Amino acid sequence: MLISYSMYARGRGGLAVKEALHMVTWNVATAEPPDNVSSLLRLQSPKTTDLYVIGLQEVKAAPLKFVADLAFEDSWSHLFMNTLAPLGYIKVSSIRMQGLLLLFFSRLEHIPFIRDIQVSYTRTGIYGYWGNKGGVSIRLSFYGHMLCFLNCHLAAHMIYAKVRVEEFEHILGVQAYSSQKCPHILDHKVVFWFGDLNFRIADHGMHFVRTCINNEQFHLLWPKDQLIMMKKETSSLQEFQEGPLDFQPTYKFDLNSDSYDSSGKKRKPAWTDRILWRVKPKASPPPDDDDDDDDDSNEEGLQWMKQQALAKEEEDFPLKITQDAYTSHTEYGISDHKPVVGLFQLELKKMHDTPLVRVCAEGEWSSDFDAVVNYTILQPFPSSAWDWIGLYKVGFKSMTDYVTYTWVKDDQVSLSDELVQVYVSKDEIPLLGGDFLLCYYSSNLQCILGISEPFRIQESKAAIEGGLIADNIDGLDQAMSG
């Protein structure tokens, strides 16, 4: 799939654009992934998705398995990358804490505008040591708008509703990022809170709950949903919004079945798996205080002025969240939980629509001779000697999926006010050639700042003549792909 750099022009001129966000939460109960997740990701939909955010809980985390997953990608990450990469989606970031896994994918065209990426995690289960419960987060700037995605697995069992709220508030309090603008979760313009939150349906007996489910009278169960009940009395929850629970409770099912728990425990069905969101409210003015010398009052005033400056930015560059769908996918039976999907529209004005770096390949490329990369700094940013330019195959899966790379400082061969040239050794260029991209990666910002147009690397004539590779490259490629 060749994606032209000219696609970056969409949405210019200060007009609001809509970007589609597809979110998934699924407690996979230590199961290996299914063969196909096309339905879960709605890949047959005629509508284009811009971002995928996938939060999993209870990914198998036995010690040997977990060590192997740290050295390589886990099987669930592989599944989603292998599914989405051919469609032009890149895994931008991920974080794993034992059984909790959070993945963020984006269409290639948005990659240079996803910046300030940071991750964090908080353990709460088994006294916080093992990390079987807790929260993992990815925060980032999307066209200048600060977003945070928090995937949680909270305490189980009916009686621990207040404990779940305490765990959530603990996570909000301790997770921090190295940022003056948004050092904590609730400082972000939009926060998505999702996962196996483990809230249950209180009071009602099994017969009433199952009758409501069978008759699709879900609304009769909402007043006794613990999360809905706790929102009424807990200020930290009241700013979070959630779509109507117009789908059957997602827990607990017999494996490979649409039947609820038939074991001796006969767990009562519940909406344990949820997706909520919060748009940062406007700042309130500080309270009046007659003591002008009061340090606390001055601090509050300064804080309010800072908030007002941010509010002005938000007024000039608004972000509106609309939920298009909120449902479960009952066709997946590998777990005792059903996955939940939330589809959103992010309507926003872009704070920037030009990448920080323009990068391109100079002339013809082949492993028969050394090559040159050209790049231009379009806007100032904190560059580093550790910045590099990676060579990626078209359809690459993640930022670490490069074929080779070159340091922008060590391998620099030419410098002017407008153009910098960097050397690439012919020994690093693939013999077989193919379609490739160049990406400029910033070590300080931890993200890609510029992407070249796709270009063709020619197969090595010297290698063919020397008998090192077959002379029918196209036929060999087709045979290998088949």
Side-chain angles (χ1 to χ4, degrees):
M1 177 181 291
L2 300 185
I3 298 179
S4 173
Y5 207 68
S6 62
M7 294 178 71
Y8 290 131
R10 189 179 67 168
R12 292 188 178 183
L15 298 177
V17 297
K18 290 184 178 181
E19 311 293 358
L21 166 64
H22 185 123
M23 295 189 65
V24 177
T25 179
W26 193 2
N27 183 322
V28 299
T30 72
E32 287 300 307
D35 294 332
N36 192 298
V37 287
S38 295
S39 172
L40 183 65
L41 302 178
R42 302 197 176 190
L43 300 183
Q44 305 307 317
S45 172
K47 297 181 179 179
T48 298
T49 297
D50 295 280
L51 306 172
Y52 280 98
V53 178
I54 300 162
L56 305 181
Q57 307 84 41
E58 293 194 27
V59 175
K60 191 172 183 180
L64 290 178
K65 172 75 173 175
F66 185 58
V67 170
D69 288 348
L70 287 178
F72 308 98
E73 294 282 3
D74 64 275
S75 56
W76 283 94
S77 295
H78 269 301
L79 171 68
F80 287 112
M81 287 193 295
N82 290 339
T83 301
L84 291 171
L87 303 176
Y89 296 93
I90 314 302
K91 191 192 79 171
V92 176
S93 184
S94 66
I95 179 171
R96 170 93 184 262
M97 183 187 74
Q98 295 300 129
L100 276 167
L101 176 64
L102 179 55
L103 305 167
F104 183 97
F105 292 86
S106 170
R107 288 181 62 83
L108 182 66
E109 64 187 90
H110 301 303
I111 296 294
F113 307 101
I114 300 174
R115 304 170 187 169
D116 199 11
I117 304 166
Q118 296 184 46
V119 299
S120 187
Y121 66 91
T122 304
R123 299 183 177 97
T124 59
I126 310 183
Y127 307 104
Y129 291 116
W130 179 237
N132 61 318
K133 295 288 198 299
V136 294
S137 66
I138 297 174
R139 57 72 58 92
L140 50 86
S141 167
F142 184 62
Y143 290 99
H145 299 270
M146 298 307 299
L147 311 180
C148 183
F149 300 89
L150 174 63
N151 172 26
C152 289
H153 191 187
L154 303 180
H157 305 304
M158 178 75 71
I159 63 173
Y160 293 125
K162 289 186 176 179
V163 172
R164 289 187 272 279
V165 173
E166 291 170 357
E167 289 181 340
F168 173 58
E169 291 178 333
H170 173 69
I171 292 168
L172 291 182
V174 302
Q175 287 206 7
Y177 313 97
S178 57
S179 166
Q180 291 186 344
K181 186 176 181 181
C182 297
H184 302 288
I185 291 173
L186 296 185
D187 294 325
H188 293 77
K189 184 176 287 190
V190 179
V191 177
F192 289 93
W193 173 39
F194 60 114
D196 180 0
L197 307 186
N198 251 324
F199 290 99
R200 310 304 171 97
I201 298 172
D203 299 338
H204 294 309
M206 178 72 79
H207 177 73
F208 180 79
V209 171
R210 292 206 173 192
T211 299
C212 291
I213 294 170
N214 292 337
N215 295 331
E216 297 187 356
Q217 294 178 307
F218 306 126
H219 65 283
L220 298 179
L221 301 175
W222 297 347
K224 293 300 181 180
D225 173 82
Q226 288 181 331
L227 180 52
I228 293 175
M229 294 168 67
M230 296 301 290
K231 281 186 69 175
K232 295 178 181 179
E233 60 186 66
T234 309
S235 60
S236 61
L237 301 179
Q238 289 170 0
E239 292 175 347
F240 282 86
Q241 303 177 60
E242 184 180 22
L245 298 167
D246 283 331
F247 52 92
Q248 66 187 86
T250 54
Y251 174 83
K252 173 180 170 95
F253 286 86
D254 292 336
L255 295 183
N256 301 306
S257 168
D258 289 334
S259 300
Y260 284 104
D261 186 17
S262 62
S263 70
K265 293 183 178 180
K266 287 188 167 54
R267 302 271 189 187
K268 187 164 56 173
W271 285 289
T272 56
D273 310 284
R274 313 286 277 266
I275 301 174
L276 298 90
W277 71 97
R278 171 191 183 267
V279 178
K280 187 178 180 182
K282 293 183 179 179
S284 301
D288 293 333
D289 196 323
D290 295 334
D291 187 358
D292 294 336
D293 296 326
D294 187 278
D295 290 340
D296 291 340
S297 177
N298 290 339
E299 180 64 28
E300 289 177 356
L302 290 173
Q303 183 66 23
W304 184 73
M305 291 174 63
K306 177 182 177 182
Q307 291 174 342
Q308 286 298 101
L310 293 175
K312 179 63 168 63
E313 177 185 279
E314 292 172 7
E315 182 179 328
D316 293 339
F317 297 95
L319 171 59
K320 180 181 177 182
I321 305 294
T322 304
Q323 188 173 59
D324 292 337
Y326 189 34
T327 189
S328 64
H329 279 257
T330 58
E331 66 270 25
Y332 292 96
I334 61 172
S335 167
D336 54 0
H337 291 252
K338 300 297 184 182
V340 170
V341 165
L343 305 182
F344 297 88
Q345 292 287 337
L346 279 58
E347 185 175 349
L348 56 88
K349 283 188 177 180
K350 298 178 180 180
M351 295 187 193
H352 32 251
D353 55 15
T354 302
L356 296 179
V357 178
R358 179 186 295 120
V359 58
C360 66
E362 170 77 12
E364 182 179 327
W365 279 46
S366 164
S367 63
D368 293 335
F369 42 82
D370 297 334
V372 171
V373 177
N374 294 333
Y375 75 88
T376 303
I377 305 296
L378 301 179
Q379 297 181 44
F381 66 91
S383 61
S384 163
W386 298 103
D387 290 358
W388 48 270
I389 295 173
L391 178 68
Y392 294 83
K393 285 189 69 70
V394 169
F396 68 98
K397 299 175 183 177
S398 72
M399 292 190 183
T400 59
D401 194 22
Y402 50 79
V403 176
T404 188
Y405 63 89
T406 182
W407 300 107
V408 298
K409 299 296 185 183
D410 290 353
D411 298 317
Q412 181 177 302
V413 293
S414 176
L415 173 66
S416 69
D417 291 338
E418 296 184 355
L419 182 70
V420 182
Q421 293 190 316
V422 179
Y423 160 89
V424 180
S425 169
K426 63 182 180 181
D427 296 332
E428 302 292 331
I429 299 175
L431 290 174
L432 291 175
D435 294 316
F436 290 84
L437 296 162
L438 293 166
C439 299
Y440 185 108
Y441 184 87
S442 165
S443 295
N444 284 332
L445 300 180
Q446 296 287 297
C447 59
I448 288 174
L449 302 184
I451 303 177
S452 75
E453 292 278 1
F455 66 99
R456 183 79 179 176
I457 294 180
Q458 302 300 320
E459 63 271 17
S460 170
K461 295 179 181 178
I464 294 174
E465 293 171 357
L468 298 179
I469 57 175
D471 55 4
N472 185 2
I473 298 298
D474 292 334
L476 177 62
D477 285 344
Q478 292 175 10
M480 291 178 67
S481 63

